[in-house]
Amino acid sequence: RELAGKTLGIVGFGGIGRLAGRVGRALGMRAAGFDPQIASSSSIWSDEATAAYGLDALLAERADRVARARPGAPCGHGTRVPR
């Protein structure tokens, strides 16, 4: 219940990021993502029912929780975003 209705921000939208989005949606979350290698106009975002944002907008305005799924990113799935 704590996660339902919240927005999961996904940084990195490869296989792990896409899976994180699916899990988040299964928990009742909205999915929003950023990946510098995938154009915001790419159909992958709509195929995965995920809204594409720039990194600053995703972290500052959109995400209630963040999953970092980029190679080399520090651990921290489920990071709370201060509001």
Side-chain angles (χ1 to χ4, degrees):
R1 289 185 288 182
E2 180 181 330
L3 298 176
K6 303 283 186 184
T7 298
L8 175 63
I10 305 161
V11 179
F13 208 60
I16 293 171
R18 291 177 197 155
L19 179 60
R22 291 178 198 138
V23 170
R25 284 189 305 281
L27 295 171
M29 300 181 82
R30 293 178 298 272
F34 165 77
D35 193 308
Q37 297 180 343
I38 302 174
S40 59
S41 60
S42 174
S43 65
I44 192 71
W45 299 109
S46 59
D47 292 349
E48 292 290 332
T50 301
Y53 291 97
L55 183 60
D56 290 339
L58 179 69
L59 298 178
E61 304 167 12
R62 301 294 175 182
D64 297 303
R65 301 288 188 273
V66 176
R68 290 177 277 189
R70 296 265 315 143
C75 294
H77 289 285
T79 301
R80 290 178 183 249
V81 178
R83 294 263 186 242

CSV table of all heavy atoms in Angstrom, one decimal, residues 21-56:
chain,number,residue,atom,x,y,z
A,21,GLY,N,10.7,-1.5,-13.8
A,21,GLY,CA,9.4,-0.8,-14.2
A,21,GLY,C,8.2,-1.8,-14.1
A,21,GLY,O,7.2,-1.4,-13.6
A,22,ARG,N,8.4,-3.0,-14.6
A,22,ARG,CA,7.3,-4.0,-14.6
A,22,ARG,C,7.0,-4.3,-13.1
A,22,ARG,O,5.8,-4.4,-12.8
A,22,ARG,CB,7.7,-5.2,-15.3
A,22,ARG,CG,7.8,-5.0,-16.8
A,22,ARG,CD,8.3,-6.2,-17.5
A,22,ARG,NE,8.8,-5.9,-18.9
A,22,ARG,CZ,9.9,-6.4,-19.4
A,22,ARG,NH1,10.6,-7.3,-18.8
A,22,ARG,NH2,10.2,-6.0,-20.6
A,23,VAL,N,8.0,-4.5,-12.3
A,23,VAL,CA,7.7,-4.8,-10.9
A,23,VAL,C,7.0,-3.7,-10.2
A,23,VAL,O,6.0,-3.8,-9.5
A,23,VAL,CB,9.0,-5.2,-10.1
A,23,VAL,CG1,8.8,-5.3,-8.6
A,23,VAL,CG2,9.6,-6.5,-10.7
A,24,GLY,N,7.5,-2.4,-10.5
A,24,GLY,CA,6.8,-1.3,-9.9
A,24,GLY,C,5.4,-1.2,-10.3
A,24,GLY,O,4.5,-0.9,-9.5
A,25,ARG,N,5.1,-1.4,-11.6
A,25,ARG,CA,3.7,-1.3,-12.0
A,25,ARG,C,2.9,-2.4,-11.4
A,25,ARG,O,1.7,-2.2,-11.1
A,25,ARG,CB,3.6,-1.3,-13.6
A,25,ARG,CG,4.0,0.0,-14.2
A,25,ARG,CD,3.7,0.0,-15.7
A,25,ARG,NE,4.4,-1.1,-16.4
A,25,ARG,CZ,5.7,-1.1,-16.8
A,25,ARG,NH1,6.5,-0.1,-16.5
A,25,ARG,NH2,6.1,-2.1,-17.4
A,26,ALA,N,3.4,-3.6,-11.2
A,26,ALA,CA,2.7,-4.7,-10.6
A,26,ALA,C,2.4,-4.3,-9.1
A,26,ALA,O,1.4,-4.8,-8.6
A,26,ALA,CB,3.5,-6.0,-10.6
A,27,LEU,N,3.1,-3.4,-8.5
A,27,LEU,CA,2.9,-3.0,-7.2
A,27,LEU,C,2.0,-1.7,-7.1
A,27,LEU,O,1.8,-1.1,-6.1
A,27,LEU,CB,4.2,-2.7,-6.4
A,27,LEU,CG,5.1,-3.9,-6.2
A,27,LEU,CD1,6.5,-3.4,-5.7
A,27,LEU,CD2,4.5,-4.8,-5.2
A,28,GLY,N,1.5,-1.3,-8.3
A,28,GLY,CA,0.6,-0.2,-8.4
A,28,GLY,C,1.3,1.2,-8.6
A,28,GLY,O,0.6,2.2,-8.4
A,29,MET,N,2.5,1.1,-8.9
A,29,MET,CA,3.3,2.4,-9.1
A,29,MET,C,3.2,2.8,-10.6
A,29,MET,O,2.9,2.0,-11.5
A,29,MET,CB,4.7,2.2,-8.7
A,29,MET,CG,5.0,1.8,-7.3
A,29,MET,SD,6.7,1.6,-6.9
A,29,MET,CE,7.1,3.3,-6.6
A,30,ARG,N,3.4,4.1,-10.8
A,30,ARG,CA,3.6,4.6,-12.1
A,30,ARG,C,5.1,4.5,-12.4
A,30,ARG,O,5.9,4.7,-11.5
A,30,ARG,CB,3.2,6.1,-12.2
A,30,ARG,CG,1.7,6.3,-12.1
A,30,ARG,CD,1.3,7.8,-12.1
A,30,ARG,NE,1.9,8.5,-11.0
A,30,ARG,CZ,1.4,8.7,-9.8
A,30,ARG,NH1,0.2,8.1,-9.5
A,30,ARG,NH2,2.0,9.4,-8.9
A,31,ALA,N,5.5,4.3,-13.7
A,31,ALA,CA,6.9,4.2,-14.0
A,31,ALA,C,7.3,5.4,-14.9
A,31,ALA,O,6.6,5.8,-15.8
A,31,ALA,CB,7.2,3.0,-14.8
A,32,ALA,N,8.5,6.0,-14.5
A,32,ALA,CA,9.1,7.1,-15.3
A,32,ALA,C,10.5,6.8,-15.4
A,32,ALA,O,11.1,6.3,-14.4
A,32,ALA,CB,8.8,8.4,-14.5
A,33,GLY,N,11.1,7.1,-16.5
A,33,GLY,CA,12.5,6.7,-16.7
A,33,GLY,C,13.4,7.7,-17.4
A,33,GLY,O,12.9,8.6,-18.0
A,34,PHE,N,14.7,7.4,-17.3
A,34,PHE,CA,15.7,8.2,-18.0
A,34,PHE,C,16.8,7.2,-18.4
A,34,PHE,O,17.2,6.4,-17.7
A,34,PHE,CB,16.4,9.3,-17.1
A,34,PHE,CG,17.7,9.8,-17.6
A,34,PHE,CD1,17.6,10.8,-18.6
A,34,PHE,CD2,18.9,9.4,-17.1
A,34,PHE,CE1,18.8,11.2,-19.1
A,34,PHE,CE2,20.1,9.9,-17.6
A,34,PHE,CZ,20.0,10.8,-18.7
A,35,ASP,N,17.2,7.4,-19.7
A,35,ASP,CA,18.4,6.7,-20.2
A,35,ASP,C,19.0,7.5,-21.2
A,35,ASP,O,18.4,7.8,-22.2
A,35,ASP,CB,18.0,5.3,-20.7
A,35,ASP,CG,19.2,4.4,-20.9
A,35,ASP,OD1,20.2,4.9,-21.6
A,35,ASP,OD2,19.3,3.3,-20.4
A,36,PRO,N,20.3,7.9,-21.1
A,36,PRO,CA,20.9,8.8,-22.1
A,36,PRO,C,21.1,8.1,-23.4
A,36,PRO,O,21.3,8.8,-24.4
A,36,PRO,CB,22.3,9.1,-21.4
A,36,PRO,CG,22.6,8.0,-20.5
A,36,PRO,CD,21.2,7.6,-20.0
A,37,GLN,N,21.0,6.8,-23.5
A,37,GLN,CA,21.2,6.1,-24.8
A,37,GLN,C,19.9,5.8,-25.5
A,37,GLN,O,19.9,5.2,-26.6
A,37,GLN,CB,22.0,4.8,-24.5
A,37,GLN,CG,23.4,5.1,-24.0
A,37,GLN,CD,24.2,3.9,-23.7
A,37,GLN,OE1,23.6,2.8,-23.7
A,37,GLN,NE2,25.5,4.0,-23.6
A,38,ILE,N,18.8,6.2,-24.9
A,38,ILE,CA,17.5,5.9,-25.5
A,38,ILE,C,16.8,7.2,-25.7
A,38,ILE,O,16.5,7.9,-24.7
A,38,ILE,CB,16.6,4.9,-24.7
A,38,ILE,CG1,17.3,3.6,-24.5
A,38,ILE,CG2,15.3,4.7,-25.4
A,38,ILE,CD1,16.6,2.7,-23.5
A,39,ALA,N,16.4,7.6,-27.0
A,39,ALA,CA,15.7,8.8,-27.2
A,39,ALA,C,14.4,8.8,-26.6
A,39,ALA,O,13.7,7.8,-26.5
A,39,ALA,CB,15.6,9.0,-28.7
A,40,SER,N,14.0,10.0,-26.1
A,40,SER,CA,12.7,10.1,-25.4
A,40,SER,C,11.5,9.8,-26.4
A,40,SER,O,10.4,9.5,-25.9
A,40,SER,CB,12.5,11.5,-24.8
A,40,SER,OG,12.6,12.5,-25.8
A,41,SER,N,11.8,9.9,-27.7
A,41,SER,CA,10.7,9.6,-28.7
A,41,SER,C,10.7,8.1,-29.0
A,41,SER,O,9.8,7.7,-29.8
A,41,SER,CB,11.0,10.4,-29.9
A,41,SER,OG,12.3,10.1,-30.5
A,42,SER,N,11.6,7.3,-28.5
A,42,SER,CA,11.7,5.9,-28.8
A,42,SER,C,10.4,5.2,-28.4
A,42,SER,O,9.8,5.5,-27.3
A,42,SER,CB,12.9,5.2,-28.1
A,42,SER,OG,12.9,3.8,-28.3
A,43,SER,N,10.0,4.2,-29.2
A,43,SER,CA,8.7,3.5,-28.8
A,43,SER,C,8.9,2.5,-27.6
A,43,SER,O,8.0,2.1,-27.0
A,43,SER,CB,8.3,2.6,-30.0
A,43,SER,OG,9.3,1.7,-30.4
A,44,ILE,N,10.2,2.3,-27.2
A,44,ILE,CA,10.4,1.4,-26.1
A,44,ILE,C,9.7,2.0,-24.8
A,44,ILE,O,9.3,1.2,-24.0
A,44,ILE,CB,11.9,1.2,-25.8
A,44,ILE,CG1,12.2,0.1,-24.8
A,44,ILE,CG2,12.6,2.5,-25.3
A,44,ILE,CD1,11.9,-1.3,-25.4
A,45,TRP,N,9.7,3.3,-24.7
A,45,TRP,CA,9.0,3.9,-23.5
A,45,TRP,C,7.6,3.5,-23.5
A,45,TRP,O,7.0,3.1,-22.4
A,45,TRP,CB,9.3,5.4,-23.5
A,45,TRP,CG,10.7,5.8,-23.4
A,45,TRP,CD1,11.4,6.3,-24.4
A,45,TRP,CD2,11.6,5.6,-22.3
A,45,TRP,NE1,12.7,6.6,-24.0
A,45,TRP,CE2,12.8,6.1,-22.7
A,45,TRP,CE3,11.4,5.1,-21.0
A,45,TRP,CZ2,14.0,6.1,-21.8
A,45,TRP,CZ3,12.5,5.2,-20.2
A,45,TRP,CH2,13.8,5.7,-20.6
A,46,SER,N,6.9,3.7,-24.6
A,46,SER,CA,5.4,3.4,-24.6
A,46,SER,C,5.2,1.9,-24.6
A,46,SER,O,4.2,1.5,-23.9
A,46,SER,CB,4.8,4.0,-25.8
A,46,SER,OG,5.3,3.6,-27.0
A,47,ASP,N,6.1,1.1,-25.2
A,47,ASP,CA,6.0,-0.3,-25.1
A,47,ASP,C,6.0,-0.8,-23.7
A,47,ASP,O,5.4,-1.8,-23.4
A,47,ASP,CB,7.1,-1.0,-25.9
A,47,ASP,CG,6.9,-0.8,-27.4
A,47,ASP,OD1,5.9,-0.3,-27.9
A,47,ASP,OD2,7.9,-1.1,-28.2
A,48,GLU,N,6.8,-0.1,-22.9
A,48,GLU,CA,7.0,-0.5,-21.5
A,48,GLU,C,6.1,0.3,-20.5
A,48,GLU,O,6.3,0.2,-19.3
A,48,GLU,CB,8.4,-0.4,-21.1
A,48,GLU,CG,9.4,-1.4,-21.8
A,48,GLU,CD,9.1,-2.8,-21.3
A,48,GLU,OE1,8.7,-3.0,-20.1
A,48,GLU,OE2,9.4,-3.8,-22.1
A,49,ALA,N,5.2,1.1,-21.1
A,49,ALA,CA,4.3,1.9,-20.2
A,49,ALA,C,5.0,2.8,-19.2
A,49,ALA,O,4.7,2.8,-18.1
A,49,ALA,CB,3.2,1.0,-19.5
A,50,THR,N,6.1,3.4,-19.8
A,50,THR,CA,7.0,4.2,-18.9
A,50,THR,C,7.1,5.6,-19.6
A,50,THR,O,7.4,5.7,-20.8
A,50,THR,CB,8.4,3.5,-18.8
A,50,THR,OG1,8.2,2.2,-18.2
A,50,THR,CG2,9.3,4.4,-17.9
A,51,ALA,N,7.0,6.6,-18.8
A,51,ALA,CA,7.2,8.0,-19.3
A,51,ALA,C,8.6,8.3,-19.3
A,51,ALA,O,9.3,8.0,-18.3
A,51,ALA,CB,6.4,9.0,-18.4
A,52,ALA,N,9.1,9.0,-20.3
A,52,ALA,CA,10.5,9.3,-20.4
A,52,ALA,C,10.7,10.8,-20.0
A,52,ALA,O,9.9,11.7,-20.4
A,52,ALA,CB,11.0,9.2,-21.9
A,53,TYR,N,11.8,11.0,-19.2
A,53,TYR,CA,12.1,12.4,-18.7
A,53,TYR,C,13.6,12.6,-18.7
A,53,TYR,O,14.3,11.6,-18.7
A,53,TYR,CB,11.6,12.6,-17.2
A,53,TYR,CG,10.1,12.6,-17.1
A,53,TYR,CD1,9.4,11.4,-16.7
A,53,TYR,CD2,9.4,13.8,-17.3
A,53,TYR,CE1,8.0,11.5,-16.6
A,53,TYR,CE2,8.0,13.8,-17.2
A,53,TYR,CZ,7.3,12.6,-16.8
A,53,TYR,OH,6.0,12.7,-16.7
A,54,GLY,N,14.0,13.8,-18.7
A,54,GLY,CA,15.4,14.1,-18.5
A,54,GLY,C,15.7,13.8,-17.0
A,54,GLY,O,14.9,13.7,-16.2
A,55,LEU,N,17.0,13.6,-16.8
A,55,LEU,CA,17.4,13.2,-15.4
A,55,LEU,C,17.1,14.2,-14.4
A,55,LEU,O,16.5,13.8,-13.3
A,55,LEU,CB,19.0,12.9,-15.4
A,55,LEU,CG,19.5,12.4,-14.1
A,55,LEU,CD1,18.9,11.1,-13.7
A,55,LEU,CD2,21.0,12.3,-14.2
A,56,ASP,N,17.3,15.4,-14.6
A,56,ASP,CA,17.0,16.4,-13.6
A,56,ASP,C,15.5,16.5,-13.3
A,56,ASP,O,15.1,16.5,-12.1
A,56,ASP,CB,17.5,17.8,-14.0
A,56,ASP,CG,19.0,18.0,-14.0
A,56,ASP,OD1,19.6,17.2,-13.4
A,56,ASP,OD2,19.5,18.8,-14.8
